[in-house]
Amino acid sequence: MTTTARRAATSTAIRTAIRTAAIRFLSASALALLTCLPPPGAARAQDAGTGAADAAPRLRAGTVELRDIAIDGGAGAAIGIGRIAFKGFSRDGDAILAERIDVEAVEMRVAAQTVRIPDVHLADVRLPDRLYRALTEGGGPDTPWVALFLGVKADMVTIDRITVADTAKRFEQTLSGFVLTGLADGVVGSARLGAFTATTTPAPGKTVRIESGELRYRTLDIGNALRIVVGGGDGTAKRLLEHASIDGLTITADDLTMRIGRYEVGNVVMAVPREPLPPELVALMEMPDPAKSADPAVLAAAARWYRHLLRDFRIETYRFEGIAATDAETKVSIDRIGLDGFGGRGFDLFAVEGISVEQPSEHFRLDRFAVEKVSWGGLVDLVLDALARGEEPVIPPGGLGDRVQAAAVRVAGLSVGTPQGPVSLDRLALEADNGPDGIPRRLSFALAGLSVPVGTMTSGKEHEELVDLGYETLKLDATTTVRWSPDDETLTLEGTAVTLQDAGRIGLAAQVAGLDLAALTAAPERADAILDRAAVREVRLEVTDLGLAQRIYAALARRSGDTPQAVRDEIARRVEEDTRKTFGSALSAADLDRVVRFVRQPGEIAITLRPRGGRTSIRLPEIVSLGPEIVSRLTISVTTRNPAPTGPDTSGGK
């Protein structure tokens, strides 16, 4: 197996392991919290002293014990509890109070999965009398377990260890040091898990191990989280979690080791539906290609359920810090990955900082990569609308430009090591002000400090020529802004400039009228006809010499044996001849003289092209050709600034 294939297989194994671990962790945690809240089924309580079957609990000086509780959850699920002891037992109206509840030997089996909890301890507990009776007498099919659970209060819940095993998926997990405080009305004030470990074998010969440090939760709404699945909500958005964090996470697979210094998530909000998750959707989630293989009615139900769920879904902050991964050939580190304002229809900011990749002969470093204000609500609607009709989603001919949008993409501090030398970039930014139709009203691009060794770009003769001109490294800056007004269909190009250090700068400005970008986006196959209707109002080209001309003249002088001045004169003569032939009378003698003077003594020059007054406008495709007939319909003006003297050359001989 190649290195690339091995990495791909390992990456897949890790993703599978993490997903499985997360699911098992959540299910085990939920079981720990719901140990005393079995689902509807047959419960059997035995007297602690005699062992005789008796639904009435035995009361001993404020202590009640239940033993050997068996709960049939249906569909192959079963829960067994060895012992529950209520200490300091008393009644307060419709509530049962206990100074302490001890639960021992909890075991849950669902298909091939087994969860075991040796003991659970709850302090200062208050629970509804109906829940107590359901535990001791057995709940019926109409028992509102979630509602009863919301009535439970406990100052503290502690669990020393939880183990999870799944023989079908070859998965094992251990959670230790679980402490929960302030449980009231289905909301946990805070929770702590000392650590968890998980081992899985997602494929033969592939073993993945996950180990964590301390996990902490703050304000965890378990009741409403359960209602997302079982229903019973009021349809409005609820905060399910204020904050959660993991200090230290290590993942190992084959020769790959990944470490995460810290993970945290804050303010998770989601709409809590009135209706439960339809059973058909559970099967739908397990299908490899649900849109093609599921019943249309099931797809429609899924669309309705997910549309409501995604409407108010939002995670305010999501962070990974101190990430490091190593294998036999590569070392990768990332200082921070952050996602802010993530919701069902987009996110506010995604940023990765401090990326470093080290290999024996190469390196890669990126200080920051960020994407701002991304919206995919239109894509979500496209998919859900199609599913609601029982159809497979189809991307429209115009693409997803009006359905997936981003306000900005930014890159800073890029450095890539190559055998020819480092390639680096100080800054890159792409910004867009998007209209409601998905077409940007303003699009700007800025690139600063791009440094590229010429050896990475060219070879052979071209490389030799650049080196002969004195360029070992090319350093580039570039900016541009494009504005489009849908009212008059005018496209304006402004602030466009490309600057090559110690060479020159080229600036371009233009205005085009009658350019229907909406039609072009909707029907790209008609691009030629749409562009043919666009008319050029003005084009302005600016050129500033920053040393390139002098280098070219000197290099040509060395090769020809002439003086630099003789080279200038010869090039100026050819430019004058070609310019007069191309533009003829459209270019005045004074403007032609300015062009020639710029060639002889380069400085700054600007050339402006406009349609001649009273003549037919210039179409966009025509301006590119600049044939004689097109030139005759143009007004051309040339200006120069700070021209250098045109006297004899004094720069030296051959």
Side-chain angles (χ1 to χ4, degrees):
M1 181 180 291
T2 65
T3 300
T4 301
R6 189 180 71 252
R7 289 177 180 168
T10 301
S11 176
T12 301
I14 290 176
R15 289 196 301 269
T16 302
I18 293 175
R19 182 172 63 250
T20 303
I23 294 172
R24 297 295 180 266
F25 169 71
L26 292 174
S27 64
S29 299
L31 174 64
L33 294 171
L34 300 176
T35 296
C36 297
L37 306 174
R44 183 179 71 254
Q46 294 182 338
D47 184 278
T50 65
D54 189 348
R58 180 180 178 185
L59 185 64
R60 293 181 177 176
T63 298
V64 175
E65 289 188 354
L66 307 174
R67 290 184 178 273
D68 300 331
I69 300 172
I71 303 165
D72 181 6
I79 299 176
I81 302 175
R83 173 177 176 268
I84 302 178
F86 294 78
K87 298 181 180 179
F89 179 91
S90 63
R91 292 179 180 271
D92 181 10
D94 292 334
I96 299 297
L97 281 66
E99 295 177 0
R100 180 183 177 93
I101 297 178
D102 296 326
V103 185
E104 299 176 358
V106 180
E107 181 174 299
M108 179 183 75
R109 294 180 181 274
V110 180
Q113 178 181 311
T114 302
V115 179
R116 292 186 175 90
I117 306 176
D119 52 69
V120 182
H121 306 286
L122 301 90
D124 293 326
V125 185
R126 182 185 183 96
L127 66 157
D129 177 68
R130 186 179 176 185
L131 174 60
Y132 174 76
R133 285 188 284 107
L135 287 170
T136 57
E137 300 170 8
D142 298 327
T143 301
W145 292 102
V146 173
L148 294 177
F149 168 69
L150 292 178
V152 175
K153 296 182 179 180
D155 283 355
M156 180 176 292
V157 179
T158 59
I159 303 173
D160 181 61
R161 187 174 72 258
I162 304 171
T163 61
V164 184
D166 192 320
T167 56
K169 297 184 177 180
R170 299 182 295 276
F171 176 87
E172 295 180 356
Q173 183 179 38
T174 300
L175 304 92
S176 58
F178 185 86
V179 179
L180 177 154
T181 59
L183 172 64
D185 301 321
V187 178
V188 177
S190 64
R192 171 189 175 276
L193 182 66
F196 77 82
T197 62
T199 303
T200 183
T201 308
K206 294 288 183 182
T207 300
V208 179
R209 180 175 176 82
I210 304 174
E211 300 176 82
S212 83
E214 185 177 73
L215 291 82
R216 288 187 176 273
Y217 299 88
R218 186 170 66 245
T219 315
L220 176 63
D221 191 338
I222 301 173
N224 278 314
L226 288 172
R227 284 186 172 126
I228 291 175
V229 177
V230 302
D234 60 7
T236 63
K238 306 293 183 183
R239 186 176 72 176
L240 304 183
L241 173 68
E242 180 182 352
H243 185 265
S245 64
I246 302 177
D247 288 328
L249 187 67
T250 301
I251 305 168
T252 57
D254 296 336
D255 59 349
L256 175 67
T257 300
M258 177 184 293
R259 293 181 175 86
I260 301 173
R262 181 175 175 80
Y263 157 83
E264 62 179 316
V265 59
N267 283 325
V268 179
V269 176
M270 191 175 295
V272 181
R274 294 182 174 87
E275 300 299 323
L277 173 66
E280 299 87 352
L281 298 191
V282 178
L284 183 69
M285 296 174 186
E286 298 177 354
M287 294 182 182
D289 195 346
K292 293 183 178 180
S293 55
D295 184 286
V298 175
L299 293 176
R304 290 192 298 271
W305 194 82
Y306 277 110
R307 192 187 299 277
H308 179 82
L309 197 69
L310 294 175
R311 185 189 65 196
D312 297 309
F313 170 65
R314 184 175 177 87
I315 299 177
E316 199 63 38
T317 58
Y318 206 82
R319 296 279 188 278
F320 291 91
E321 297 180 355
I323 303 169
T326 59
D327 65 10
E329 301 174 357
T330 307
K331 179 180 179 181
V332 179
S333 64
I334 302 174
D335 292 344
R336 184 178 296 103
I337 299 176
L339 183 62
D340 294 339
F342 177 79
R345 304 181 70 82
F347 61 82
D348 293 338
L349 173 66
F350 171 75
V352 184
E353 300 177 2
I355 305 173
S356 176
V357 181
E358 300 287 343
Q359 291 184 321
S361 59
E362 297 179 352
H363 80 270
F364 172 90
R365 172 75 187 181
L366 180 61
D367 289 345
R368 188 172 189 266
F369 170 79
V371 183
E372 302 172 6
K373 297 291 183 184
V374 172
S375 169
W376 54 67
L379 178 60
V380 172
D381 292 338
L382 173 72
V383 173
L384 294 182
D385 289 347
L387 294 179
R389 298 189 301 267
E391 301 173 357
E392 182 179 354
V394 177
I395 297 177
L400 298 175
D402 61 336
R403 301 177 186 272
V404 180
Q405 301 176 11
V409 177
R410 305 184 193 278
V411 174
L414 172 66
S415 176
V416 180
T418 72
Q420 293 80 20
V423 175
S424 62
L425 173 66
D426 292 342
R427 185 176 66 258
L428 180 149
L430 179 63
E431 300 176 352
D433 292 338
N434 296 299
D437 54 4
I439 301 175
R441 302 304 188 255
R442 180 187 67 87
L443 189 65
S444 65
F445 172 81
L447 180 148
L450 175 62
S451 178
V452 183
V454 296
T456 64
M457 302 171 59
T458 62
S459 60
K461 185 177 180 180
E462 292 179 349
H463 178 262
E464 293 175 358
E465 290 177 347
L466 284 172
V467 172
D468 188 45
L469 291 174
Y471 296 112
E472 294 287 348
T473 300
L474 300 182
K475 298 181 179 180
L476 183 73
D477 297 326
T479 60
T480 189
T481 298
V482 181
R483 300 182 187 275
W484 183 67
S485 171
D487 296 333
D488 56 5
E489 297 181 344
T490 298
L491 182 75
T492 303
L493 181 68
E494 61 188 31
T496 301
V498 178
T499 303
L500 191 62
Q501 183 176 314
D502 298 326
R505 179 185 302 111
I506 298 177
L508 181 66
Q511 191 173 76
V512 179
L515 182 57
D516 190 351
L517 291 183
L520 185 62
T521 302
E525 70 279 3
R526 298 180 55 243
D528 291 343
I530 295 171
L531 294 176
D532 190 58
R533 293 198 300 267
V536 177
R537 289 179 177 173
E538 179 179 291
V539 176
R540 180 179 175 85
L541 176 67
E542 297 179 353
V543 178
T544 301
D545 179 64
L546 300 175
L548 177 61
Q550 302 291 351
R551 293 170 185 253
I552 291 176
Y553 296 155
L556 292 176
R558 288 194 300 272
R559 297 172 190 174
S560 66
D562 293 331
T563 64
Q565 184 62 47
V567 171
R568 292 170 190 259
D569 292 342
E570 176 60 19
I571 293 177
R573 183 189 66 78
R574 293 182 182 179
V575 169
E576 181 178 9
E577 180 180 312
D578 293 342
T579 303
R580 181 179 288 112
K581 183 182 301 183
T582 300
F583 294 99
S585 61
L587 189 67
S588 68
D591 284 342
L592 178 59
D593 181 62
R594 292 186 183 97
V595 173
V596 175
R597 288 173 57 199
F598 173 78
V599 175
R600 290 182 183 275
Q601 295 292 337
E604 300 180 18
I605 187 171
I607 303 173
T608 304
L609 308 179
R610 297 187 183 93
R612 191 179 296 275
R615 297 293 187 92
T616 306
S617 60
I618 308 300
R619 300 300 175 185
L620 186 58
E622 294 176 327
I623 198 68
V624 179
S625 64
L626 277 183
E629 194 274 333
I630 303 301
V631 170
S632 68
R633 292 154 50 194
L634 290 174
T635 294
I636 305 172
S637 62
V638 180
T639 60
T640 56
R641 291 191 298 172
N642 302 321
T646 57
D649 175 57
T650 58
S651 61
K654 299 180 180 180

